[in-house]
């Protein structure tokens, strides 16, 4: 049984050479990477594709099971190495360390339990669980028996949960009794019961993990305790042979641009792509402790807490709690406690911690850090500098990783400390990724540097989405129709004279002021230059004379401020940074911005508030902070 890891690039020159090779002959390049894994049967064809239908198939005819590659093949060399390191919400509570051998045994037990409940290959299983080891174990168990997992963040409303369960016709929901978040225990099973009351006709069983042990309502016709179903099961379960193109999971996007899409990923390509990108972007070496702070309910958790790291035999940490409990120093305390070598988080968390002051980060021993990463949205310069200076002590390379639920894995990023780094630039595409900038008006590819345009991909990579669940036309229409022959990301980007990419933001976040088009991100960056500004969101609103006016929501650093004077100063800053055309017409100071769970500003809500349409704000239940909406509406100018 081969037990090799993806090829690890070790210099920037090598990156250039490998990149060229991956473009000259993508099939040979990816076939060589795929050959490092365990296949039950080799593939017949490396790739067949068209971006019209679209149809993309990698490693067709090949048979594999991703968990055999995450678990079984590591047992010989690293059976006693920690696979999952669990840091609980309560700092004094016991840290759980699951070795590869223990994880393998536990995954097999849950696999057997699921089979006993009648879950078979192709059935869908929904997860609504906190960040506890049983979540990781059960997701892998699904994959082991060929069931399709659909993880829903355990903070979404009953309605949001029911919508997702019904969209995928899930047969089982796996949940916990309660969820620990900082000082609070939040009911989880209760929300599942509410979802079932709304109506989820496909659900036959609710498997309940006892987490806090508090009381829950119980209906024996469908409720079943996790420990009762699992604990007596045999610790061995043969992995279900899967076709490379069988569905591995469905994951709903955050919905910041509309109704969430059920993005579908398949077994073979996703495996190869997440392992390759994990190893290269984080430059992971044996023995390192890697920590990604995302939730598994988000693609980052799928690809870079679970699959990528486990495929590479890494030690991956799961954190149950929140960054501000017991105080805003928790992340850094945990890094120190476990000697974290690679740390991966989101700009929204960094900005929140930055606003609490430097005392919380200073005084911690962060000397084990080798790479620190950012994901989820463009990182503004101020947050980048803070991350670099305070966390990275001016030394540790930052990888600003651009990618999407749909891409399966990281697409544009530095490779650890090998690549040149530049604040707010994600950098160069990874090997195998053929990015393009396209002119919005002509649809032509822009090949010169510097240049800016629609961010597209010209050629398939193994981690690309295959469809959107139950609605292939939506997949075609959303990603493959804007620029014929290319995958369109929905983002706009700029390439500098050296070919490094900077993500400007979503293309639909463009405002047209008196005929001048500008990205809202550009105006936000300008406002952020003011020393008292912590965060900004800019949207357009109907304006009688200009067509669209600029409405800015601004969060200030704590303290007493003279609002009128600050407004003038902010306008002056924008005038200086961009020009008078970009100066905001209205500036509203706010405490918080409405955010999705993955840290994105919910702009459709801000646009409605700015336009005065405060009645039809739509579903706000998937927000991290629904209360922000009300205070913003009240303070509208
Ligand atoms: P929906 O598609 O439903 O609106 P979403 O796009 O918010 O949801 P994700 O797939 O989690 O859901 O987010 C991907 C988007 O996040 C990218 O298209 C991009 O706009 C943004 N993004 C992610 N990482 C970065 C980054 N490093 N720099 C800039 N933008 C990023
Ligand atoms: Mg998106």
């Amino acid at each position: 049984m081969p037990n090799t890891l993806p090829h690890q690039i070790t210099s920037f020159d090598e990156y250039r050479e490998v990149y060229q090779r991956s473009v000259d002959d993508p099939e040979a390049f990816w076939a060589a990477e795929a050959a490092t894994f365990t296949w039950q049967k080799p593939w017949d064809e490396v790739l067949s594709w068209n971006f019209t239908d679209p149809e993309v198939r990698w490693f067709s005819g090949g048979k594999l099971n991703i968990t055999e590659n995450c678990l079984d093949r590591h047992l010989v060399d690293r059976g006693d190495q920690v696979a999952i390191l669990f840091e609980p919400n309560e700092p004094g509570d016991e840290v759980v360390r699951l070795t590869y051998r223990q994880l393998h045994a536990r995954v097999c037990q849950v696999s057997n339990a699921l089979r006993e409940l009648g879950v078979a290959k192709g059935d869908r299983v929904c997860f609504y669980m906190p960040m506890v080891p049983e979540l990781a174990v059960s997701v892998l168990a699904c994959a082991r028996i060929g069931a399709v997992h659909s993880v829903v963040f355990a903070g979404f409303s009953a309605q949001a949960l029911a919508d997702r369960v019904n969209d995928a016709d899930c047969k089982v929901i796996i949940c916990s009794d309660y969820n620990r978040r900082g000082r609070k225990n939040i009911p989880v099973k209760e929300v599942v019961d509410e979802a079932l009351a709304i109506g989820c006709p496909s659900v036959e069983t609710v498997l309940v993990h006892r987490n806090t042990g508090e009381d829950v309502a119980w209906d024996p016709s469908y409720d079943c305790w996790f420990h009762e179903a699992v604990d007596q099961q045999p610790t061995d379960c043969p992995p279900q042979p899967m076709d490379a193109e069988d569905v591995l999971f469905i994951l709903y996007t955050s919905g910041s641009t509309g109704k969430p899409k059920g993005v579908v990923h398949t077994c073979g390509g996703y495996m190869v792509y997440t392992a390759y990108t994990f190893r290269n972007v984080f430059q992971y070496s044996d023995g390192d402790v890697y920590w990604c702070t995302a939730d598994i309910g988000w693609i980052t958790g799928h690809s870079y807490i679970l699959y990528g790291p486990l495929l590479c035999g890494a030690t991956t940490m799961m954190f149950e709690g929140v960054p501000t409990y017991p105080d805003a120093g928790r992340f850094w305390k945990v890094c120190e406690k476990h000697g974290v070598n690679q740390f991966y988080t989101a700009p929204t968390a960094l900005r929140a911690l930055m606003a609490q002051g430097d005392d919380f980060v200073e005084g911690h021993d962060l000397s084990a850090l080798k790479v620190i990463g950012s994901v989820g949205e463009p990182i503004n310069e101020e947050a980048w500098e803070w991350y670099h200076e305070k966390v990275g002590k001016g030394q540790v390379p930052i990888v600003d990783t651009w990618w999407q639920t749909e891409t399966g894995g990281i697409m544009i990023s530095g490779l650890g400390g090998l690549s040149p780094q530049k604040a707010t630039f994600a950098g160069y595409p990874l090997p195998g990724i053929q990015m393009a900038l396209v002119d919005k008006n002509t649809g032509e590819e822009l090949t010169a540097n510097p240049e800016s345009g629609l961010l597209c991909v010209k050629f398939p990579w193994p981690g690309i989405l295959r469809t959107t669940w139950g609605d292939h036309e939506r997949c075609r229409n959303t990603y493959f129709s804007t620029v014929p022959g290319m995958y369109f990301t929905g983002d706009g980007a700029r390439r500098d004279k050296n070919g490094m990419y900077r993500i400007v933001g979503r293309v639909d976040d463009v405002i047209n002021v008196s005929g001048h088009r500008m990205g809202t991100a550009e105006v936000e960056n300008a406002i952020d230059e003011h020393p008292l500004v912590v965060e900004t969101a800019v949207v357009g609103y109907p304006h009688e004379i200009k067509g669209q006016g600029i409405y800015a929501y601004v969060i200030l650093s704590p303290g007493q401020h003279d609002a009128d004077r600050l407004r003038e100063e902010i306008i002056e800053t924008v005038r200086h940074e961009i020009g008078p055309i970009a100066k905001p017409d209205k500036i509203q100071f706010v405490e918080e911005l409405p955010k999705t769970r993955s840290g994105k500003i919910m702009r459709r809500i801000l646009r409605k508030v700015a336009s005065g349409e405060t009645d039809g704000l739509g579903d706000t239940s998937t927000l991290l902070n629904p209360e922000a909406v009300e205070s913003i509406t009240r303070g509208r100018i």
Side-chain angles (χ1 to χ4, degrees):
M1 196 189 272
N3 191 6
T4 45
L5 295 171
H7 176 77
Q8 187 163 356
I9 294 169
T10 56
S11 69
F12 193 62
D13 283 345
E14 188 188 354
Y15 158 76
R16 288 206 181 278
E17 184 266 312
V18 171
Y19 185 81
Q20 195 53 47
R21 202 152 36 80
S22 77
V23 170
D24 293 342
D25 191 348
E27 298 182 25
F29 174 78
W30 288 116
E33 286 304 327
T36 66
F37 293 88
T38 299
W39 294 79
Q40 296 164 351
K41 174 181 169 289
W43 56 86
D44 305 319
E45 192 180 17
V46 178
L47 170 68
S48 62
W49 69 287
N50 75 73
F51 276 175
T52 321
D53 296 336
E55 184 174 356
V56 178
R57 301 176 62 81
W58 282 95
F59 315 115
S60 288
K63 296 270 185 204
L64 78 152
N65 188 289
I66 195 167
T67 71
E68 189 174 9
N69 284 282
C70 287
L71 302 171
D72 304 58
R73 67 171 180 153
H74 296 315
L75 294 182
V76 182
D77 291 344
R78 49 180 108 239
D80 297 319
Q81 183 206 303
V82 175
I84 292 182
L85 175 60
F86 171 72
E87 168 72 19
N89 177 60
E90 211 50 65
D93 283 358
E94 193 194 348
V95 171
V96 177
R97 292 182 174 83
L98 288 177
T99 65
Y100 273 92
R101 203 178 312 286
Q102 291 166 330
L103 181 61
H104 176 266
R106 196 67 180 155
V107 167
C108 286
Q109 287 191 303
V110 179
S111 303
N112 289 323
L114 289 173
R115 282 210 172 121
E116 215 169 88
L117 289 170
V119 180
K121 182 183 170 201
D123 287 343
R124 274 80 59 205
V125 175
C126 177
F127 287 81
Y128 188 73
M129 270 180 97
M131 285 285 288
V132 292
E134 288 74 10
L135 169 60
V137 168
S138 310
V139 165
L140 293 169
C142 259
R144 192 156 183 95
I145 64 169
V148 173
H149 54 79
S150 167
V151 184
V152 176
F153 180 81
F156 281 6
S157 68
Q159 185 66 55
L161 174 62
D163 289 347
R164 287 162 179 75
V165 167
N166 292 334
D167 188 66
D169 291 317
C170 296
K171 194 169 187 176
V172 173
I173 300 178
I174 307 185
C175 69
S176 60
D177 51 4
Y178 286 78
N179 174 353
R180 296 187 185 85
R181 301 283 290 174
R183 286 186 177 76
K184 289 178 283 196
N185 285 355
I186 297 165
V188 176
K189 164 86 165 52
E190 194 178 299
V191 182
V192 174
D193 290 339
E194 277 171 46
L196 295 188
I198 293 169
C200 298
S202 58
V203 174
E204 294 171 8
T205 308
V206 177
L207 198 56
V208 187
H209 169 244
R210 186 178 276 160
N211 188 33
T212 67
E214 288 155 276
D215 285 344
V216 289
W218 201 257
D219 183 334
S221 65
Y222 58 83
D223 287 331
C224 175
W225 283 113
F226 185 88
H227 58 272
E228 286 177 3
V230 170
D231 287 355
Q232 303 307 317
Q233 295 290 345
T235 54
D236 202 13
C237 172
Q240 170 75 38
M242 301 292 283
D243 193 278
E245 284 298 337
D246 280 339
V247 176
L248 175 63
F249 66 85
I250 306 169
L251 184 64
Y252 292 86
T253 59
S254 81
S256 58
T257 52
K259 180 174 175 276
K261 299 170 278 275
V263 169
V264 172
H265 285 287
T266 56
C267 297
Y270 179 81
M271 169 178 80
V272 173
Y273 196 64
T274 51
Y276 183 78
T277 50
F278 170 75
R279 183 140 161 101
N280 281 288
V281 170
F282 297 102
Q283 291 284 303
Y284 185 88
S285 313
D286 260 347
D288 285 349
V289 175
Y290 163 87
W291 182 20
C292 165
T293 69
D295 192 281
I296 290 179
W298 186 25
I299 188 68
T300 308
H302 282 58
S303 302
Y304 299 112
I305 295 178
L306 285 183
Y307 289 113
L310 295 176
L311 286 164
C312 291
T315 297
T316 177
M317 187 151 81
M318 271 180 88
F319 174 48
E320 184 184 23
V322 295
T324 48
Y325 176 76
D327 63 42
R330 185 70 188 276
F331 274 1
W332 323 121
K333 277 205 187 69
V334 173
C335 282
E336 180 171 7
K337 176 175 173 186
H338 297 292
V340 170
N341 301 109
Q342 288 90 4
F343 176 76
Y344 191 27
T345 197
T348 179
L350 293 173
R351 280 191 301 263
L353 296 179
M354 188 169 94
Q356 305 279 321
D358 296 345
D359 290 352
F360 289 105
V361 59
E362 274 157 11
H364 292 290
D365 179 3
L366 301 177
S367 59
L369 289 174
K370 300 188 210 172
V371 176
I372 53 181
S374 168
V375 60
E377 53 177 319
I379 178 164
N380 56 310
E381 188 148 5
E382 211 187 343
W384 195 97
E385 293 296 347
W386 186 84
Y387 203 21
H388 184 60
E389 287 306 318
K390 301 296 169 189
V391 180
K393 313 295 176 201
Q395 310 242 321
V396 182
I398 294 180
V399 289
D400 177 0
T401 64
W402 175 85
W403 60 296
Q404 312 176 292
T405 310
E406 298 86 343
T407 68
I410 298 168
M411 301 286 278
I412 303 179
S413 169
L415 306 179
L418 308 181
S419 315
Q421 82 179 13
K422 190 166 161 185
T424 77
F425 278 75
Y428 293 99
L430 297 196
I433 303 305
Q434 303 188 29
M435 303 301 310
L437 291 178
V438 170
D439 185 299
K440 190 172 352 60
N441 301 316
T442 65
E444 298 289 320
E445 184 181 351
L446 302 160
T447 50
N449 288 342
E451 199 51 271
S452 45
L454 307 179
L455 187 64
C456 298
V457 194
K458 289 191 281 191
F459 194 87
W461 62 100
I464 188 174
L465 88 161
R466 301 304 196 265
T467 187
T468 43
W469 184 260
D471 192 352
H472 194 63
E473 176 53 24
R474 185 164 185 214
C475 171
R476 195 192 63 75
N477 197 26
T478 311
Y479 309 106
F480 298 92
S481 67
T482 311
V483 181
M486 293 196 196
Y487 167 83
F488 170 50
T489 65
D491 288 344
R494 183 181 309 160
R495 206 163 44 207
D496 74 1
K497 63 181 193 321
N498 300 315
M500 288 176 88
Y501 284 85
R502 173 183 182 155
I503 313 304
V504 180
R506 316 226 180 205
V507 173
D508 51 11
D509 291 339
V510 167
I511 34 188
N512 192 332
V513 181
S514 310
H516 296 265
R517 294 174 65 86
M518 61 191 105
T520 54
E522 203 176 348
V523 185
E524 288 162 8
N525 283 333
I527 296 178
D528 287 344
E529 290 293 310
H530 191 285
L532 291 176
V533 172
V534 175
E535 191 172 1
T536 310
V538 164
V539 295
Y541 71 99
H543 189 286
E544 268 181 32
I545 298 152
K546 304 187 200 176
Q548 275 192 305
I550 300 180
Y551 196 113
Y553 299 88
V554 175
I555 301 179
L556 296 173
S557 59
Q560 290 294 316
H561 303 295
D562 174 346
D564 287 338
R565 198 162 119 222
L566 266 175
R567 278 200 185 86
E568 274 168 38
E569 285 179 13
I570 287 172
I571 290 171
E572 193 43 46
T573 309
V574 175
R575 192 198 298 273
H576 176 255
E577 295 285 320
I578 310 179
I581 185 73
K583 71 184 177 48
D585 299 279
K586 295 183 179 183
I587 299 176
Q588 179 182 347
F589 295 116
V590 297
E591 300 283 320
E592 280 188 277
L593 293 165
K595 294 261 175 96
T596 66
R597 300 281 168 176
S598 59
K600 267 145 204 144
I601 298 168
M602 224 8 150
R603 285 170 200 281
R604 63 177 169 82
I605 290 178
L606 295 179
R607 275 193 287 263
K608 285 202 167 159
V609 173
S611 320
E613 300 167 37
T614 46
D615 291 338
L617 293 179
D619 181 16
T620 55
S621 75
T622 59
L623 288 175
L624 186 67
N625 51 352
E627 67 286 351
V629 177
E630 203 205 319
S631 86
I632 282 178
T633 310
R634 249 186 287 115
R636 197 178 91 85
I637 300 176

